[in-house]
Amino acid sequence: MDQSLKGYVSVLSCFPPSVGRDVAVAVVKPLAAGLGNPSTRSLLRTDRQVKWTMEVLCYGLTLPLDRDTVRLCVDVYTDWMMALVSQRSSTPLPISRDPNLYTQRIVRHLYSLFLPRSDQVSPVHRSLCQQVLCSVQSLARESSVMSRETWETLLHFLLRINHTVLTPPTPSEGISDLSVAVLLEVWLLACSRCFPSRSLWQTFRQMFGSWRYQPAVVEQWSRVAAALTSRLLPQRFGPSYPHFEVPDEDAALVPADMEDERVSHTWFQVLHLFRNPADLTRSVAGSSATSSQEEMFERENAHLPGIFFRAMRTVSELVNAFLGTAPVPELELTQNSAWYGVTVRSSEQMDHLLPNTGLTARTHFRHRLPSLGFSVSRGPFRDRLPPYGFSRPRSGSAPPTPVNFPSGPDASPSKSSSPPQKRQLAEHVSKFSSISSPPHHWKSSSPLPRSSPRLAAHPLRCNVDSLLHLFGSWLFDATFRTSDSDLSCKRTDATVMSEQWAAGRAEACGTLCRIFTCKKTAESIQSVYLSRFYLVLLQSLQDACSPVVVSVLLNSTSLFCCDLRGVNLLLPSFLSVLEMVLLDRDLVQFKGLVSPVDLRRSSIFILLSLMPLPLQLGTVQLQDSWGKMTSDVKAGNFLFYKPRLLSLLIGSLQTETDTYNIQLLLAAMLNEVHDSAAAEASHTSSGPAQEAGTQYGTSRTRPPTNRTEAAVLWVHGVRLMTQRLTSQWRNDSAVCLSALETLGGLAKVQVQVEDSEKHRAISSVCTYIVFQCSRPPPLHSRDLHSIIVAAFCCLNIWLSHHPVLLHQQECLLEVLEIVELGISGSKSRQDQRVAWKENKELNPASLRVKEAAEATLSCIMQVSGACTYLDGSLREDTLLLNDSSLKKSRYFVLEGSVILAMLEPKPGPDQDPSPSLLVVFRGPSGHHSWSLQLHLLPRDGRPIQTQETQRTQRTRSTEQQHPTADDVGRKCAINQQLAPENMERIPSVAADQSIPALNHTGTVEQMLEHLRATLKTQEHIEAQPQLSGRSIALATCRPPPPISCFQVTRVFLSHLGLLTPESVKDPGINSVQPTLLSLDSSLPGFSDNLRRLDQLPSRNRDCAFVFYMRAGQRKPREILGNVEKQTSVGGRFLDFLSSLGWPEEVGRLQVGRAGRSEFPAVLGDSGGSVFDGRRFILKFADALTWITFIVPSLHTYTADWLRSSEEVGQATVSPSNHRCSETRPSEDIRSCHGVASFFSSDSKLLIVWVESFEDIEKFPLTDLLLETRAQTETSSSNIQVIFIHPLKTGLYRICLHGTTSTKLGLVNPLVDGMVTSRRSLGFLVTEMVSNCSHRWRLESDSAPPPHVRRKHLINNIILGYKSCCSEPAFYSALFHL
């Protein structure tokens, strides 16, 4: 330190105090009187006068504060200092000529004011010190003529007074904040105008290290470090990098004209002024105070944990800035007698999440950087690690009920051992609690949003190693030095101190987790950093310190998703902590630290990434190389932990009450059940043929034959969801909709379970529909009706995938009653009363509910075999739409909803001459074709006319064993019954008495005797010879000629009971539409309308587009060109394509379902471009859904490839389209034959395979869509994007963008951040496409179901082409076909 700064002694100090005081008063009063008066000139003319006067003023600064002498001296000096800024008349002429020299002397003299004195705490002294500091601050800001010597003198002055003010044990609390703030601001100004020397930086660093024990120092250092970082980031990463937001007053600390090189140098120097924050714990850990000194020691060091936390919080903010994430909430440190509590203030209000539940939304949880506030005071530990199996929620100390999953001998359940209760700490904890302030904490008042702007790390962020080079030593030391095992004092005291430092340690652990989870895809991290990080996590989770556990969980939601080398070894430790959090309903241990909803949500995200690991890694061995695993963890393979994970999933679903968290768990349930079932099915498959066929694997396999782990999980999941659906969840629309989607997905998973379990699911859905329909009318709304429609859709899925349930009479009656309830609004059987259907009043809940019930009724008919569904399109000759068939066919309308087309084909020369009829039914559920023939005798009983009886008998016996040619293709799936099962319930009528009972034997014998006598009499008469002599000419009997006109149409309609006076009425007489109505096919446009009807799908048709994005690609043409060659894409991508569906040639008739074995042949050498829609597409279809997957290529790339026909027509006239006309090839996918119907899909969804996870933010969605300025926001509101990123472990990470969540909640089964396996990826994607489209149709008024669209078109055809003829004319036309 410069000797001149050790204090200047005036010559007046040699005289008695009274002499010096009198001289100072006499000199300073006339000088002060002239200040501020422009007309007054200074009394001092020469250098000697000025120097002598300054000797007097210097002595005056040391006088007591009881008079105004000191104040006047300060006023004079501060006025003379401003000579470096502007010339004043009151300033002596020598000072005006050389202001730098005299300012340096004035600054040395002013140091005397800050020397310790008895009245230092007086307000007068504080105000004078503040006046001097403000003058120095203004001088540094405004002066432009300061020399280097003046700058250094000014900096030395500020260093010295701060050292005096901040040095323990008597810090000047009144001016400490201002002195540090002025020092740092002036220092930054000096860095911009006159950069300090190296020796000055070293002095600053040494002195600052002794000041960091003061709260004001860490606060001001945090402000300056944040301001410099905000200025540094755009220089290093470019203007596009996310701006690090700091308050305007903090940003103004860095001069705007500071050079870039000086900014980076100053940032590095200022960052290391504070040194390692973990050093704050050394004095505490290394001290050995006696019992008498303990109270004094605690009082002096009580504020150190708050300082440590604030320093680590600053490091955390800087790390977030370098990662490019959103700024963390602002912190406020409040001072009290013991330490600094922390209050977190959120800077913005978020949107509502669920309008119908009153929940509010915030930023997406996985990418939110939470802030925690901690207090050193806490109650005794309540640590308990639950056993692995739970089947119901746990509250308090309620004993859990285990769920046993079948597993191998290596997967035996292990019991968790609870750490001992630290009762001996209660006294010490209460002692610290008595001196601490009330804890301030941040609570989450609402779930987090389902779809919000992603706040992930920026793609241009620096590498993990670079961040750890900067902050790694501080962060690692902060986590290790403040733990129990690293404090070198008594065990009890060490634990209490560890709890005091827990806030800073938690911040350090959370920061480390964020750094490592922001690892880039192709980035490698040094092994030394990875090993230290894993040790930090193991020790933090093992210590079970509540703040640290909370911080680790909140910041590790993506830890197992970023391909960290060796991270899967942490599964046992994380599993134990997740059990502690998710299976405890109260979470008493974490109260006051964070919202339980947020803590559970972060734990659920971690659970989502852990679930696929056991099946994926299998028998890979886990070794406790560090000796840090908990006592309940046994070294074994990953399969050992699968039962615990499954039990944790079931227990979490039972315990959770938050809407969003429940939806996440439901998605995890479906993912795990299907993955387990697919894995078990693949293990049961054997043989080289089957193994060779798995090159392009499938996720839909046959189930194993025995009761397996997947079946047990399926049963537990279905039971839990069905029970909650009709009780706890029934008032939560978002949860109910997700549960219905999950139940529908579980219906598609093939597992061997009892039919009673499946019946339980159907019965629960029916009960749920009854409950929702029975709500009071004021509670009925569109959202409620949407839930009912979704329940009917779930019912359709279960019936179509499990048709055997309809063979159970109880299940069939229950389903039919629900259909009746949906159509009519009430049941016929209610409370022992039966209402006849003709007496019921139709009053459905809504038209949408009625239409959904009608769709369920149609599904029942198709599934039961009463109306066979034809998969695939029929030819025009089969549909009676060609010219020859159209003229010969008759068209009728049945019940105003079904169009019957009838044609009586003439038999050919080689065909059976029996009359035949071809009938095509066109209804809301689709079109069906029937072909029938009329015979005089049944087919099985027709005799074969031969001359030899024995040959006839042999032929007949052969016919019974082998069907005739007429029987080929006939299918009889009806079980014949002689009498109904409930015969005794049917009341008897008079017709039942026509056949006598067997017990009336007497009457029967008399009737038989009478019949025998009559027969004998007739034989006697016939045996007598002819008595007449006349000759009778006998004629040979010949059969009449065959009839050529059979009128099969009339006979068919008559057999159906349609030709009755009640069925056929004259429309002109009665306004009621008749049951049977004829259509006039001769009118123009009739055939075109029928073709339009046949082109309308009877199932939900959805479309999804698949892209492959290589690392670093940004342009659309580069992305579309990847699929041209197989070498440009990976084998895992092709395997994924094969799991989506099967190849289908565009425009080709294909009845039935093609096999995936055709995929390699169709694929050829392409990377998927063959499925671009020009010739082939990938199709997935079942009884209810039709999904088309298209892989766009350069051949199909146009500006409007993803728009509807109307939008294309509007966009073509837009002048803004000229900007992209040069990039359009001549061929348009819409011009390809047979592909137009795929683009009429209700909802469009993009699936993007990304090699690098960082490229997700750079995906050129706008360029691919090529939206023009004329395109409205609603035209692209139905675009969802699913990003799939392959991990090195063979798993896949899911990322969702767009409207993948609706006002009715999260869309399952894919959620943002989920990790899934290859076995389930294709299944989950198809389910996601179907559910997203279904949600969009539920919320849209312009997307009616397919059967409703067909019904409307049928009504239009009836109104436009009905035949207005009388009843006689109608019957006459039937006889003249």
Side-chain angles (χ1 to χ4, degrees):
M1 179 64 60
D2 192 353
Q3 296 295 327
S4 61
L5 285 181
K6 292 186 178 181
Y8 185 84
V9 180
S10 174
V11 67
L12 291 179
S13 60
C14 300
F15 296 91
S18 60
V19 175
R21 181 176 62 253
D22 295 339
V23 173
V25 171
V27 172
V28 73
K29 284 187 177 181
L31 292 176
L35 299 178
N37 189 357
S39 61
T40 303
R41 303 186 64 85
S42 176
L43 301 176
L44 305 178
R45 302 293 182 180
T46 63
D47 291 339
R48 293 182 59 184
Q49 295 175 353
V50 173
K51 292 179 180 178
W52 183 86
T53 304
M54 292 179 65
E55 292 287 337
V56 176
L57 294 178
C58 178
Y59 182 80
L61 293 174
T62 62
L63 294 177
L65 299 175
D66 53 352
R67 297 183 181 182
D68 293 339
T69 306
V70 178
R71 181 181 60 80
L72 295 177
C73 293
V74 171
D75 292 341
V76 172
Y77 264 167
T78 54
D79 183 77
W80 289 357
M81 287 172 55
M82 290 297 105
L84 285 172
V85 178
S86 62
Q87 297 294 333
R88 302 179 182 180
S89 60
S90 59
T91 303
L93 184 60
I95 297 179
S96 300
R97 288 197 301 263
D98 193 0
N100 282 285
L101 175 63
Y102 285 97
T103 300
Q104 296 171 21
R105 294 181 179 179
I106 291 173
V107 168
R108 295 189 184 98
H109 291 179
L110 286 175
Y111 171 69
S112 302
L113 179 66
F114 296 88
L115 291 175
R117 58 179 69 197
S118 59
D119 51 355
Q120 186 174 0
V121 294
S122 65
V124 177
H125 181 262
R126 286 198 299 268
S127 63
L128 293 177
C129 293
Q130 292 173 0
Q131 180 180 350
V132 172
L133 291 174
C134 292
S135 299
V136 172
Q137 186 182 32
S138 300
L139 178 65
R141 288 178 179 177
E142 301 173 9
S143 177
S144 59
V145 296
M146 289 177 59
S147 63
R148 170 172 288 275
E149 291 77 10
T150 304
W151 275 109
E152 291 185 354
T153 303
L154 204 61
L155 295 178
H156 279 92
F157 166 73
L158 293 174
L159 288 175
R160 188 58 179 170
I161 63 173
N162 276 275
H163 194 68
T164 303
V165 170
L166 299 173
T167 300
T170 57
S172 301
E173 299 179 358
I175 60 174
S176 58
D177 291 339
L178 181 61
S179 62
V180 178
V182 172
L183 169 62
L184 292 175
E185 182 179 354
V186 173
W187 199 279
L188 291 178
L189 291 171
C191 292
S192 175
R193 302 172 188 177
C194 182
F195 200 82
S197 61
R198 180 178 300 179
S199 60
L200 198 58
W201 276 107
Q202 292 177 353
T203 302
F204 190 16
R205 188 179 303 111
Q206 293 175 359
M207 300 181 71
F208 199 90
S210 62
W211 305 339
R212 58 181 178 172
Y213 298 95
Q214 302 300 327
V217 175
V218 65
E219 184 65 29
Q220 298 300 328
W221 171 76
S222 301
R223 294 179 57 214
V224 174
L228 287 170
T229 304
S230 178
R231 180 74 176 273
L232 177 68
L233 293 179
Q235 300 176 5
R236 294 299 177 183
F237 300 100
S240 62
Y241 202 75
H243 182 61
F244 182 42
E245 298 290 344
V246 295
D248 295 337
E249 57 271 17
D250 293 350
L253 294 176
V254 183
D257 57 348
M258 184 182 292
E259 299 177 359
D260 295 347
E261 184 178 357
R262 291 190 176 185
V263 169
S264 58
H265 192 185
T266 303
W267 175 85
F268 185 83
Q269 293 287 355
V270 170
L271 178 66
H272 290 81
L273 285 176
F274 200 83
R275 300 183 183 178
N276 191 344
D279 294 340
L280 295 172
T281 64
R282 288 182 176 177
S283 59
V284 179
S287 62
S288 57
T290 61
S291 58
S292 61
Q293 300 173 341
E294 182 178 356
E295 184 176 355
M296 181 181 300
F297 179 80
E298 292 172 357
R299 184 174 59 254
E300 294 177 356
N301 296 276
H303 59 276
L304 291 183
I307 296 175
F308 174 67
F309 168 74
R310 188 64 181 94
M312 298 313 303
R313 181 62 176 163
T314 301
V315 174
S316 176
E317 292 176 347
L318 299 183
V319 169
N320 295 337
F322 278 97
L323 292 177
T325 57
V328 295
E330 183 183 355
L331 294 177
E332 178 184 1
L333 295 179
T334 56
Q335 186 178 7
N336 57 34
S337 59
W339 79 298
Y340 285 77
V342 180
T343 301
V344 179
R345 300 183 305 215
S346 179
S347 59
E348 59 180 0
Q349 301 294 333
M350 300 301 175
D351 301 332
H352 288 283
L353 174 62
L354 298 174
N356 56 336
T357 58
L359 300 177
T360 57
R362 289 201 305 269
T363 55
H364 197 281
F365 183 82
R366 177 174 291 278
H367 309 288
R368 178 176 59 87
L369 300 175
S371 175
L372 301 175
F374 303 101
S375 169
V376 293
S377 61
R378 54 169 304 190
F381 281 95
R382 191 182 178 184
D383 300 320
R384 53 182 184 273
L385 299 177
Y388 79 91
F390 282 87
S391 63
R392 64 179 181 85
R394 185 180 63 169
S395 177
S397 58
T401 303
V403 177
N404 297 322
F405 289 94
S407 57
D410 295 338
S412 59
S414 62
K415 296 184 178 180
S416 304
S417 60
S418 304
Q421 197 117 9
K422 304 179 181 180
R423 298 179 179 175
Q424 67 273 16
L425 305 180
E427 181 179 355
H428 297 271
V429 172
S430 60
K431 182 187 302 182
F432 282 94
S433 302
S434 61
I435 64 173
S436 63
S437 62
H440 302 273
H441 58 275
W442 171 63
K443 291 186 178 181
S444 173
S445 60
S446 63
L448 299 169
R450 304 145 299 171
S451 57
S452 59
R454 286 181 59 84
L455 303 178
H458 197 270
L460 298 179
R461 64 185 180 273
C462 56
N463 295 332
V464 173
D465 284 346
S466 299
L467 279 178
L468 294 178
H469 292 337
L470 278 173
F471 306 104
S473 60
W474 292 4
L475 295 172
F476 286 123
D477 289 348
T479 57
F480 284 118
R481 292 184 185 178
T482 55
S483 61
D484 293 354
S485 57
D486 294 289
L487 291 175
S488 56
C489 52
K490 295 186 298 180
R491 181 64 183 174
T492 302
D493 296 337
T495 306
V496 174
M497 292 180 183
S498 177
E499 293 175 355
Q500 287 182 302
W501 301 93
R505 183 186 174 198
E507 197 68 43
C509 290
T511 305
L512 284 174
C513 292
R514 287 198 299 274
I515 292 176
F516 281 89
T517 52
C518 289
K519 167 189 170 295
K520 297 180 181 179
T521 302
E523 181 182 355
S524 60
I525 304 177
Q526 294 183 13
S527 301
V528 61
Y529 286 142
L530 284 174
S531 59
R532 294 193 70 184
F533 175 60
Y534 295 157
L535 283 174
V536 167
L537 291 182
L538 289 174
Q539 179 172 319
S540 301
L541 298 178
Q542 184 180 5
D543 293 346
C545 182
S546 299
V548 179
V549 170
V550 168
S551 182
V552 170
L553 293 180
L554 290 178
N555 294 279
S556 301
T557 53
S558 302
L559 183 63
F560 294 88
C561 308
C562 50
D563 274 335
L564 284 175
R565 183 160 41 97
V567 71
N568 296 325
L569 298 177
L570 301 175
L571 182 146
S573 299
F574 270 92
L575 181 56
S576 300
V577 175
L578 293 181
E579 289 173 339
M580 180 174 59
V581 174
L582 293 177
L583 298 181
D584 190 352
R585 186 188 300 274
D586 300 329
L587 291 178
V588 178
Q589 182 179 350
F590 304 102
K591 279 189 175 181
L593 300 177
V594 71
S595 169
V597 174
D598 289 344
L599 183 59
R600 293 181 189 275
R601 186 164 305 160
S602 62
S603 302
I604 292 173
F605 274 117
I606 298 175
L607 179 63
L608 289 177
S609 59
L610 293 179
M611 293 300 297
L613 289 181
L615 286 178
Q616 184 67 23
L617 301 180
T619 58
V620 176
Q621 295 295 320
L622 277 169
Q623 300 294 333
D624 188 7
S625 303
W626 302 293
K628 292 286 186 180
M629 290 188 177
T630 55
S631 58
D632 64 321
V633 174
K634 295 182 178 179
N637 54 34
F638 281 90
L639 287 177
F640 174 81
Y641 299 97
K642 185 182 179 183
R644 290 179 62 183
L645 285 171
L646 298 182
S647 298
L648 177 58
L649 178 60
I650 294 292
S652 304
L653 197 56
Q654 294 173 334
T655 307
E656 190 55 59
T657 56
D658 178 70
T659 297
Y660 189 80
N661 292 352
I662 294 175
Q663 293 174 322
L664 295 177
L665 292 171
L666 290 175
M669 174 66 69
L670 180 57
N671 183 10
E672 185 60 25
V673 171
H674 184 273
D675 192 24
S676 299
E680 293 168 357
S682 62
H683 292 162
T684 56
S685 302
S686 59
Q690 295 179 353
E691 294 178 359
T694 58
Q695 179 182 0
Y696 300 103
T698 173
S699 62
R700 300 170 178 86
T701 55
R702 295 179 299 173
T705 57
N706 55 346
R707 185 73 172 269
T708 59
E709 191 176 64
V712 175
L713 182 60
W714 189 95
V715 170
H716 281 286
V718 170
R719 287 182 179 179
L720 178 59
M721 280 184 282
T722 53
Q723 187 269 335
R724 295 297 177 93
L725 189 64
T726 56
S727 56
Q728 288 95 328
W729 296 347
R730 62 184 184 180
N731 294 321
D732 193 332
S733 58
V735 173
C736 289
L737 193 54
S738 296
L740 291 172
E741 291 174 349
T742 305
L743 281 175
L746 291 177
K748 302 176 184 179
V749 179
Q750 300 180 6
V751 292
Q752 290 291 342
V753 296
E754 294 80 3
D755 290 342
S756 60
E757 299 294 341
K758 304 174 184 177
H759 184 197
R760 181 199 304 271
I762 293 181
S763 179
S764 299
V765 175
C766 294
T767 305
Y768 179 76
I769 295 176
V770 173
F771 170 78
Q772 298 294 352
C773 291
S774 61
R775 286 180 178 269
L779 298 180
H780 280 247
S781 62
R782 177 178 176 82
D783 291 343
L784 175 64
H785 297 159
S786 297
I787 298 297
I788 299 176
V789 171
F792 274 108
C793 293
C794 178
L795 204 59
N796 298 343
I797 296 175
W798 276 89
L799 295 177
S800 59
H801 286 82
H802 302 281
V804 69
L805 296 177
L806 292 178
H807 298 168
Q808 303 177 9
Q809 185 178 10
E810 181 182 358
C811 180
L812 179 60
L813 290 177
E814 187 174 11
V815 174
L816 290 178
E817 284 184 348
I818 296 302
V819 172
E820 179 189 8
L821 174 64
I823 295 176
S824 63
S826 61
K827 295 182 181 180
S828 296
R829 296 186 302 175
Q830 293 182 357
D831 300 332
Q832 305 299 329
R833 293 185 297 104
V834 178
W836 301 107
K837 289 182 172 54
E838 57 269 15
N839 299 330
K840 289 180 60 177
E841 180 181 358
L842 294 180
N843 187 21
S846 68
L847 182 60
R848 298 171 61 208
V849 174
K850 178 184 176 183
E851 293 168 349
E854 292 174 348
T856 302
L857 180 61
S858 175
C859 178
I860 294 173
M861 295 301 175
Q862 293 179 7
V863 169
S864 62
C867 186
T868 306
Y869 179 79
L870 298 178
D871 188 8
S873 301
L874 298 177
R875 299 186 302 270
E876 281 200 352
D877 55 349
T878 308
L879 294 175
L880 308 180
L881 288 178
N882 52 14
D883 295 337
S884 60
S885 300
L886 193 63
K887 297 179 181 178
K888 300 177 182 179
S889 303
R890 291 295 305 273
Y891 292 87
F892 301 92
V893 178
L894 181 61
E895 298 289 347
S897 60
V898 178
I899 298 178
L900 303 180
M902 299 184 183
L903 175 64
E904 299 180 12
K906 293 183 179 180
D910 299 335
Q911 296 180 355
D912 190 351
S914 301
S916 59
L917 182 67
L918 179 62
V919 185
V920 177
F921 294 81
R922 291 181 174 91
S925 61
H927 47 254
H928 312 272
S929 179
W930 281 3
S931 179
L932 54 92
Q933 274 188 331
L934 299 181
H935 297 278
L936 296 177
L937 296 175
R939 291 184 175 183
D940 294 339
R942 292 194 303 271
I944 306 298
Q945 302 295 334
T946 59
Q947 296 180 356
E948 300 179 2
T949 305
Q950 296 179 356
R951 184 176 180 182
T952 300
Q953 295 176 353
R954 289 196 302 268
T955 304
R956 289 184 178 180
S957 62
T958 305
E959 289 179 359
Q960 295 177 359
Q961 297 177 2
H962 303 283
T964 62
D966 296 334
D967 296 326
V968 175
R970 190 180 66 164
K971 183 179 179 180
C972 182
I974 301 176
N975 297 328
Q976 304 291 342
Q977 282 185 310
L978 298 178
E981 296 180 357
N982 52 356
M983 186 68 184
E984 66 280 358
R985 301 180 182 179
I986 302 177
S988 59
V989 295
D992 295 333
Q993 307 299 328
S994 61
I995 301 177
L998 296 178
N999 53 5
H1000 297 84
T1001 55
T1003 305
V1004 174
E1005 291 295 336
Q1006 294 177 2
M1007 294 175 63
L1008 291 177
E1009 291 295 335
H1010 180 70
L1011 182 59
R1012 293 190 188 99
T1014 303
L1015 291 175
K1016 289 181 180 180
T1017 304
Q1018 180 67 23
E1019 292 175 355
H1020 179 71
I1021 295 174
E1022 291 177 355
Q1024 294 179 359
Q1026 296 288 337
L1027 300 178
S1028 176
R1030 293 182 300 172
S1031 60
I1032 300 173
L1034 300 177
T1036 305
C1037 294
R1038 299 182 181 277
I1043 300 175
S1044 59
C1045 183
F1046 296 95
Q1047 301 174 358
V1048 187
T1049 301
R1050 177 184 58 81
V1051 175
F1052 176 75
L1053 293 176
S1054 178
H1055 288 174
L1056 293 180
L1058 299 176
L1059 297 180
T1060 60
E1062 293 79 10
S1063 301
V1064 181
K1065 297 179 181 179
D1066 190 354
I1069 299 176
N1070 196 339
S1071 60
V1072 180
Q1073 198 73 257
T1075 304
L1076 185 65
L1077 180 68
S1078 62
L1079 298 179
D1080 189 357
S1081 60
S1082 62
L1083 295 177
F1086 181 77
S1087 59
D1088 296 336
N1089 280 278
L1090 285 184
R1091 289 188 178 93
R1092 287 179 54 200
L1093 179 61
D1094 293 334
Q1095 290 175 358
L1096 283 180
S1098 58
R1099 296 173 287 183
N1100 293 323
R1101 284 201 175 186
D1102 305 311
C1103 186
F1105 300 89
V1106 185
F1107 298 91
Y1108 188 95
M1109 184 178 182
R1110 302 186 67 181
Q1113 291 184 340
R1114 298 292 184 269
K1115 298 181 180 180
R1117 298 189 65 85
E1118 295 177 348
I1119 297 175
L1120 296 172
N1122 293 331
V1123 295
E1124 297 294 334
K1125 296 182 180 180
Q1126 195 170 10
T1127 56
S1128 301
V1129 298
R1132 298 170 68 178
F1133 174 72
L1134 299 178
D1135 183 77
F1136 164 66
L1137 286 182
S1138 67
S1139 65
L1140 293 178
W1142 51 89
E1144 184 174 279
E1145 189 171 357
V1146 176
R1148 179 183 177 184
L1149 176 65
Q1150 182 172 335
V1151 180
R1153 175 171 170 172
R1156 287 184 173 83
S1157 59
E1158 301 179 1
F1159 183 84
V1162 175
L1163 182 66
D1165 296 333
S1166 71
S1169 61
V1170 67
F1171 305 111
D1172 58 1
R1174 292 180 299 158
R1175 183 180 176 186
F1176 291 97
I1177 52 96
L1178 284 174
K1179 167 189 170 183
F1180 170 78
D1182 55 17
L1184 303 173
T1185 306
W1186 179 310
I1187 303 177
T1188 301
F1189 294 97
I1190 298 178
V1191 186
S1193 63
L1194 291 174
H1195 301 284
T1196 58
Y1197 176 52
T1198 64
D1200 305 304
W1201 64 274
L1202 199 57
R1203 299 184 186 175
S1204 62
S1205 302
E1206 293 79 4
E1207 291 172 340
V1208 172
Q1210 297 174 2
T1212 52
V1213 299
S1214 175
S1216 59
N1217 274 345
H1218 294 290
R1219 63 182 176 88
C1220 53
S1221 58
E1222 299 178 358
T1223 61
R1224 301 182 186 178
S1226 58
E1227 186 177 5
D1228 188 354
I1229 188 174
R1230 295 182 179 275
S1231 62
C1232 302
H1233 176 71
V1235 186
S1237 60
F1238 300 144
F1239 290 89
S1240 61
S1241 170
D1242 296 330
S1243 177
K1244 301 179 181 67
L1245 192 144
L1246 275 64
I1247 304 169
V1248 185
W1249 186 284
V1250 289
E1251 290 183 353
S1252 177
F1253 194 79
E1254 292 72 33
D1255 293 337
I1256 292 178
E1257 301 295 335
K1258 298 296 183 180
F1259 179 70
L1261 177 61
T1262 305
D1263 295 336
L1264 281 172
L1265 298 178
L1266 290 178
E1267 297 176 342
T1268 62
R1269 295 183 179 179
Q1271 186 176 1
T1272 61
E1273 183 180 356
T1274 57
S1275 60
S1276 60
S1277 61
N1278 59 337
I1279 302 297
Q1280 297 99 28
V1281 186
I1282 300 177
F1283 292 97
I1284 302 175
H1285 172 58
L1287 300 177
K1288 294 180 181 179
T1289 56
L1291 300 174
Y1292 301 90
R1293 183 179 181 181
I1294 304 299
C1295 179
L1296 304 181
H1297 275 210
T1299 56
T1300 51
S1301 57
T1302 63
K1303 67 178 182 179
L1304 293 178
L1306 187 71
V1307 182
N1308 284 344
L1310 291 181
V1311 296
D1312 194 8
M1314 173 181 282
V1315 176
T1316 183
S1317 65
R1318 176 192 61 84
R1319 296 175 295 270
S1320 301
L1321 182 61
F1323 170 78
L1324 296 178
V1325 169
T1326 54
E1327 283 293 293
M1328 188 67 177
V1329 173
S1330 178
N1331 292 340
C1332 283
S1333 303
H1334 178 61
R1335 289 287 188 95
W1336 182 79
R1337 284 188 288 267
L1338 285 179
E1339 298 180 2
S1340 175
D1341 295 329
S1342 60
H1347 69 281
V1348 176
R1349 296 180 181 179
R1350 293 181 60 87
K1351 181 191 295 186
H1352 292 168
L1353 185 54
I1354 290 174
N1355 291 335
N1356 295 335
I1357 294 176
I1358 294 174
L1359 294 177
Y1361 300 97
K1362 64 181 179 180
S1363 178
C1364 298
C1365 59
S1366 61
E1367 295 183 28
F1370 179 84
Y1371 285 111
S1372 177
L1374 292 177
F1375 287 91
H1376 298 85
L1377 292 176

